């Protein structure tokens, strides 16, 4: 198979993180493939100490970090929005961005913003997803990539990966396996999505 760069250039994506940034890293590495239809043009965070920022800088990607503390949600989101647009991004990928977004921000990126969530949506929106799957006696956990809408973890699901629960799994062991699936799912779904909208 020959690896051709996409016709008409790559889709420009900004990634928002709040911490470790391993899903962001997976997107950055996926974008290194010649045939990948997206490129990461900005990694932004609401926490200047977010671990992922260092990785992004080392990869030569523009970063923006600004603490949300002391700012109203809409004020902070307007600053973020300005930076994303200045970077020329056409899409936003939330990757462990642990802050609710203002309705204005969500509306401004309607149909152009994706999120990854560590459950098989519509199950277990919000936090503690793995613990809840284990408590419920589920046979599978997993992850979902969805379009971001005004409602938390609620937009149309674009792709999911099921991950079998093993005897003796704890929330941490399950989370670690689901994370492997997240890293593969996000880049695949994002690549498909930017190619069709
Ligand atoms: C990931 O498991 C992601 O699915 C989850 O936070 C983790 C971030 O890890 N996101 C949410 O729970 C959002 N509702 P990462 O910073 O290493 O990508």
């Amino acid at each position: 198979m020959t690896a051709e760069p996409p016709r008409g250039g790559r889709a420009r994506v900004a990634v928002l993180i709040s911490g470790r940034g391993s899903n962001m890293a997976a997107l950055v590495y996926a974008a290194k493939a010649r045939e990948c239809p997206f490129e990461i043009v900005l990694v932004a965070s609401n926490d200047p100490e977010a671990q992922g920022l260092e990785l992004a800088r080392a990869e030569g990607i523009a970063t923006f970090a600004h603490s949300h503390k002391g700012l109203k949600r809409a004020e902070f989101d307007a600053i973020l929005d300005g930076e994303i647009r200045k970077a020329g991004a056409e899409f936003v990928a939330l990757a462990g961005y642990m802050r609710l977004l203002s309705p204005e921000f969500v509306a401004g990126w309607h149909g152009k913003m994706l999120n990854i969530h560590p459950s098989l949506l519509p199950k277990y929106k919000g936090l503690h997803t793995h613990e809840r799957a284990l408590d419920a006696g589920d046979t599978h956990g997993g992850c979902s990539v969805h379009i971001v809408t005004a409602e938390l973890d609620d937009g149309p699901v674009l792709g999911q990966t099921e991950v079998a629960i093993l005897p003796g799994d704890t929330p941490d062991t399950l989370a670690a396996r689901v994370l492997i699936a997240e890293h593969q799912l996000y880049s695949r779904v994002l690549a498909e999505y930017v190619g069709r909208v």
Side-chain angles (χ1 to χ4, degrees):
M1 196 177 96
T2 50
E4 293 294 329
R7 290 210 187 115
R10 296 169 194 258
R12 298 170 64 84
V13 177
V15 184
L16 305 191
I17 64 170
S18 293
R20 183 176 54 183
S22 73
N23 275 290
M24 174 273 294
L27 296 179
V28 167
Y29 301 149
K32 291 188 181 199
R34 217 170 123 71
E35 72 278 18
C36 184
F38 61 81
E39 64 179 311
I40 308 302
V41 295
L42 178 73
V43 172
S45 180
N46 61 312
D47 179 359
E49 303 299 316
Q51 237 182 302
L53 289 169
E54 197 180 341
L55 184 147
R57 283 187 208 110
E59 292 291 347
I61 296 168
T63 59
F64 172 76
H66 195 300
S67 173
H68 60 269
K69 289 183 188 151
L71 291 172
K72 294 209 173 93
R73 190 177 304 283
E75 276 168 8
F76 178 77
D77 285 0
I79 295 171
L80 197 58
D81 189 65
E83 291 297 321
I84 295 169
R85 294 191 189 277
K86 214 161 68 188
E90 304 156 274
F91 294 88
V92 175
L94 305 182
Y97 188 67
M98 302 311 263
R99 239 182 104 66
L100 292 175
L101 293 162
S102 60
E104 295 83 355
F105 187 94
V106 175
W109 290 97
H110 179 73
K112 298 292 175 104
M113 179 157 55
L114 305 188
N115 179 43
I116 186 149
H117 184 72
S119 79
L120 297 171
L121 290 172
K123 280 186 164 182
Y124 315 132
K125 297 173 181 178
L127 298 174
H128 310 298
T129 54
H130 307 299
E131 197 176 332
R132 288 154 72 197
L134 291 170
D135 286 350
D138 292 354
T139 58
H140 289 76
C143 50
S144 308
V145 173
H146 67 95
I147 300 175
V148 177
T149 56
E151 225 33 57
L152 180 71
D153 299 330
D154 192 59
V157 171
L158 298 172
Q160 292 185 313
T161 305
E162 287 191 353
V163 173
I165 291 177
L166 304 182
D169 256 338
T170 65
D172 284 351
T173 60
L174 179 58
R177 270 196 333 286
V178 170
L179 194 63
I180 299 170
E182 290 185 43
H183 294 165
Q184 298 182 35
L185 180 70
Y186 211 174
S187 53
R188 179 165 58 75
V189 171
L190 182 60
E192 283 166 9
Y193 193 70
V194 301
R196 74 177 163 88
V197 293

